[in-house]
Amino acid sequence: MMIRLCENNDFEMIYEVINDAAQAYKGVIPADLWKEPYMSKDELRREIEEGVVFWGYEEGGEIVGVMGIQHIQDVTLLRHAYVRTAERNRAIGSKLLSYLREQTTRPVLIGTWADATWAIRFYEKHGFRLVIPEEKDRLLRKYWSIPERQIETSVVLANQDWFSTH
Ligand SMILES: CC(C)(COP(=O)(O)OP(=O)(O)OC[C@H]1O[C@@H](n2cnc3c(N)ncnc32)[C@H](O)[C@@H]1OP(=O)(O)O)[C@@H](O)C(=O)NCCC(=O)NCCS
């Protein structure tokens, strides 16, 4: 196994992993925000063009988990953390998270759906804490480009470094 930078020819595999893992959101996030595929190829392409760099966890020649990192203004965002449904709870997400957070000295922020309680717990186990609601709205507007409806239904977690400087 290895964690490696994704390349152009990994695009299809990243797309598959995201949409397989995102099934977890079905029936959990507000129905008006769920769609299938959860992330289209155009959306994925746009994310990459806008600076999200994907890393993959590879096993047996296949990527089974991905996580994106995006440096923006004075912070680093960890985005699009997805581990294939069949490969969950094997510490793949933890390894990707630990690996990526070592790549930055800036405060780290993570946004996720308020209803994705497992994801919030996962990040909390790794030392991230939820920011207060007024702050998360401000942060989501400042660093993310997402619709107002998604801002309403999302939360932001930050690492200790962010809390120490804010
Ligand atoms: C969130 C997500 C990326 C985590 O990936 P993962 O590989 O399953 O994560 P880990 O295995 O490292 O940790 C998950 C759980 O397994 C446990 N675990 C870790 N290693 C383990 C091991 N070797 N054996 C058994 N359990 C283990 C962890 O303690 C953790 O428990 P928790 O649910 O109580 O926090 C994955 O669940 C996912 O893709 N979810 C759907 C999409 C999503 O929610 N993405 C995040 C939105 S930004």
Side-chain angles (χ1 to χ4, degrees), residues 21 24-25 80-83 87-94 110-112 116 118-119 121-123 125:
Y25 298 144
H80 310 304
Y82 292 101
V83 171
E87 308 298 336
R88 296 264 168 78
N89 297 330
R90 292 182 46 225
I92 294 172
S94 297
I110 300 174
T112 191
W118 64 85
R121 205 173 50 236
F122 168 76
Y123 295 124
K125 267 198 177 171

Side-chain angles (χ1 to χ4, degrees), residues 42-118:
D42 282 346
E43 286 171 281
L44 177 58
R45 218 168 277 121
R46 203 173 324 124
E47 291 293 283
I48 295 169
E49 279 164 13
E50 286 175 4
V52 179
V53 173
F54 280 93
W55 287 76
Y57 186 100
E58 189 182 291
E59 220 170 39
E62 293 214 345
I63 291 177
V64 293
V66 296
M67 207 173 282
I69 185 165
Q70 184 176 25
H71 306 292
I72 180 158
Q73 300 173 45
D74 53 337
V75 300
T76 295
L77 308 182
L78 292 185
R79 315 228 9 222
H80 310 304
Y82 292 101
V83 171
R84 271 196 182 275
T85 312
E87 308 298 336
R88 296 264 168 78
N89 297 330
R90 292 182 46 225
I92 294 172
S94 297
K95 285 179 189 159
L96 278 166
L97 180 61
S98 305
Y99 190 87
L100 288 199
R101 62 192 294 187
E102 288 302 311
Q103 292 192 8
T104 186
T105 51
R106 304 182 197 187
V108 178
L109 299 177
I110 300 174
T112 191
W113 299 110
D115 290 326
T117 49
W118 64 85

Side-chain angles (χ1 to χ4, degrees), residues 13-43:
M13 216 152 21
I14 300 172
Y15 172 78
E16 293 296 328
V17 170
I18 290 177
N19 287 299
D20 173 72
Q23 290 293 322
Y25 298 144
K26 196 175 182 174
V28 174
I29 64 169
D32 60 307
L33 296 169
W34 168 257
K35 57 187 171 31
E36 228 155 333
Y38 174 74
M39 189 185 290
S40 69
K41 290 188 181 174
D42 282 346
E43 286 171 281

Side-chain angles (χ1 to χ4, degrees), residues 128-152:
F128 287 81
R129 277 188 286 143
L130 286 165
V131 306
I132 59 169
E134 306 83 76
E135 189 67 5
K136 69 101 181 163
D137 286 348
R138 188 185 71 79
L139 294 171
L140 287 166
R141 290 199 182 97
K142 183 169 180 190
Y143 298 118
W144 278 259
S145 317
I146 54 172
E148 204 50 34
R149 177 82 177 114
Q150 194 176 342
I151 291 177
E152 263 171 44

